[in-house]
């Protein structure tokens, strides 16, 4: 056995001397061992494996993406799972250890994703073992998770894996559009393990205007909704815009000011965590006369140097 050989094989050089004559040659030697990667995980965790076309035991579900395969552990028992790939010859070993605790993560979460913590002894990473590049390669991949979720009728719940955030949990699917706030129980079950929590179903927040112009003062809009949802509304802006925010009586008033005179379209991004909304308000910026034309663009470029140019012109005029 030759240690350190590549998976596909390698050229090996040989040299021999007989009677003062040296002979050199190269021989292609194929590898007899598959390259092995290893990872430690627990039940319901998901592991990214480079490549597609892997074969796995029945307790592992495989979901191929763009050059990456997602392996989900569907049973809660200690095991050594060997995934095999024929071309190139590779193996990937998942050492599974038993689940010690399954519970919902405390905090205020949207009904669209209430995250679960599934823990095992000695494991500290999140339940999705993937790099950022691998997550991108798994975009739009739909998976089936081994645990179940339930909530109060007529609403339903189902397991969910958010590949972007690396969280798994339960999502509540409302039977109808939520118009009034209510609290429901949400439970997750897997074998003998069971955990429950309370989740608020909140109506969507509303924005008074989706398009505004800084040329029409005052430039403002309001965000309305349930007071509990409004507490976790956050806003960001494009460069050059400044917000004055006032919250009272279940309403957020937003006054938009410009920090610089710039042409084009800006935006205010309104993010409501508890209703899983992201709303973009377009803002038409203040424009000078001629802005957007070639003359306006030239003027914008030379404006910072106008005092210097005026001084030079005055000095030149004094010498003539």
């Amino acid at each position: 056995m030759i240690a350190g050989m590549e998976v596909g094989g390698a050229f090996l050089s040989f040299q021999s001397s007989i009677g003062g004559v040296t002979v050199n040659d190269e021989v292609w030697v194929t590898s007899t061992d598959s390259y092995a990667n290893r990872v430690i995980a627990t039940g319901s965790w998901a592991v990214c494996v480079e490549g597609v076309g892997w074969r796995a035991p029945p307790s592992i579900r495989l979901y191929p993406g763009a050059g990456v395969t997602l392996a989900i552990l569907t049973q809660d028992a200690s095991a050594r799972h060997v995934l095999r790939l024929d071309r190139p010859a590779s193996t990937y070993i998942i050492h599974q250890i038993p689940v010690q605790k399954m519970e919902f993560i405390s905090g205020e979460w949207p009904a669209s994703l209430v995250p679960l913590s599934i823990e095992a002894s000695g494991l500290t990473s999140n339940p999705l073992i993937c790099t950022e590049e691998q997550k991108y390669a798994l975009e739009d991949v739909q998976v089936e998770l081994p645990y179940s979720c339930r909530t109060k009728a007529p609403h339903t719940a189902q397991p969910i894996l958010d590949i972007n955030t690396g969280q798994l949990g339960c999502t509540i699917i409302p039977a109808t559009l939520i118009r009034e706030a209510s609290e429901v129980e949400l439970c997750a079950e897997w074998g003998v393990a069971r955990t429950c929590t309370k989740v608020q179903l909140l109506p969507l927040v509303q924005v008074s205007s989706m398009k505004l112009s800084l040329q029409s003062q005052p430039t403002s809009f309001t965000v309305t909704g349930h007071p509990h949802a409004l507490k976790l509304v956050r806003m960001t802006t494009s460069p050059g815009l400044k917000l004055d925010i006032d919250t009272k009586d279940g309403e957020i008033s937003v006054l938009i000011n410009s920090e610089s005179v710039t042409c084009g379209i800006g935006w205010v991004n309104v993010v409501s965590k508890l209703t899983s909304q992201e709303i973009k308000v377009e803002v038409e910026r203040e424009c000078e006369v001629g802005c957007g034309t070639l003359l306006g663009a030239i003027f914008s470029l030379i404006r910072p140097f106008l005092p210097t140019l005026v001084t030079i012109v005055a000095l030149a005029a004094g010498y003539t």
Side-chain angles (χ1 to χ4, degrees):
M1 182 182 294
I2 302 173
M5 184 179 293
E6 296 291 335
V7 175
F11 279 106
L12 296 183
S13 297
F14 294 90
Q15 186 180 80
S16 178
S17 297
I18 301 176
V21 178
T22 301
V23 178
N24 295 289
D25 198 2
E26 283 189 338
V27 178
W28 176 261
V29 179
T30 58
S31 174
T32 57
D33 289 341
S34 296
Y35 180 73
N37 291 308
R38 290 175 172 82
V39 71
I40 300 175
T42 191
S44 83
W45 280 29
V47 180
C48 282
V49 185
E50 286 293 331
V52 294
W54 290 90
R55 292 177 286 111
S59 56
I60 302 287
R61 291 186 189 137
L62 300 179
Y63 300 91
V68 175
T69 298
L70 187 66
I72 295 182
L73 286 66
T74 64
Q75 296 180 4
D76 179 21
S78 296
R80 180 178 180 271
H81 308 289
V82 180
L83 282 63
R84 301 186 185 279
L85 186 66
D86 293 331
R87 295 184 180 180
S90 302
T91 60
Y92 195 97
I93 298 174
I94 301 176
H95 293 280
Q96 181 176 349
I97 57 179
V99 173
Q100 282 191 330
K101 183 170 63 174
M102 181 178 79
E103 63 182 5
F104 285 107
I105 298 175
S106 60
E108 294 185 292
W109 303 100
S112 60
L113 175 55
V114 184
L116 274 168
S117 171
I118 299 179
E119 301 177 6
S121 177
L123 295 184
T124 57
S125 63
N126 66 30
L128 181 65
I129 305 176
C130 299
T131 65
E132 291 302 318
E133 292 77 11
Q134 289 171 333
K135 289 180 183 179
Y136 181 77
L138 292 169
E139 188 176 6
D140 298 327
V141 171
Q142 301 296 316
V143 303
E144 183 179 347
L145 298 169
Y147 58 89
S148 62
C149 301
R150 63 174 180 82
T151 190
K152 183 180 179 181
H155 311 302
T156 58
Q158 65 183 30
I160 184 173
L161 171 64
D162 188 328
I163 291 176
N164 289 329
T165 63
Q167 290 181 318
L168 56 78
C170 294
T171 179
I172 297 177
I173 304 169
T176 58
L177 182 65
I178 304 298
R179 300 189 183 278
E180 293 186 2
S182 62
E183 187 177 73
V184 297
E185 185 179 56
L186 175 66
C187 295
E189 299 174 349
W190 187 20
V192 297
R194 182 174 182 269
T195 182
C196 296
T197 189
K198 297 289 186 180
V199 180
Q200 281 200 325
L201 300 181
L202 300 173
L204 299 177
V205 301
Q206 305 292 327
V207 174
S208 61
S209 299
M210 298 297 293
K211 291 187 177 182
L212 298 167
S213 174
L214 288 172
Q215 298 181 37
S216 302
Q217 294 293 333
T219 307
S220 63
F221 67 92
T222 58
V223 183
T224 56
H226 190 274
H228 194 60
L230 294 181
K231 285 196 307 181
L232 293 179
V233 167
R234 300 292 180 264
M235 300 183 206
T236 57
T237 70
S238 55
L241 296 180
K242 181 181 178 182
L243 303 181
D244 291 326
I245 300 173
D246 182 35
T247 303
K248 62 180 180 181
D249 299 329
E251 181 178 276
I252 301 176
S253 299
V254 183
L255 180 64
I256 307 173
N257 295 299
S258 178
E259 294 184 318
S260 60
V261 180
T262 310
C263 289
I265 301 295
W267 47 261
V268 178
N269 209 35
V270 181
V271 178
S272 173
K273 176 183 176 180
L274 294 185
T275 58
S276 299
Q277 290 174 268
E278 186 170 341
I279 305 169
K280 181 167 287 189
V281 178
E282 290 188 0
V283 181
E284 183 182 356
R285 300 174 185 270
E286 293 177 290
C287 280
E288 297 173 339
V289 176
C291 186
T293 65
L294 178 60
L295 181 61
I298 295 173
F299 180 75
S300 297
L301 289 173
I302 67 173
R303 185 174 61 177
F305 307 102
L306 280 179
T308 304
L309 292 174
V310 170
T311 302
I312 293 172
V313 170
L315 290 174
Y319 285 105
T320 57

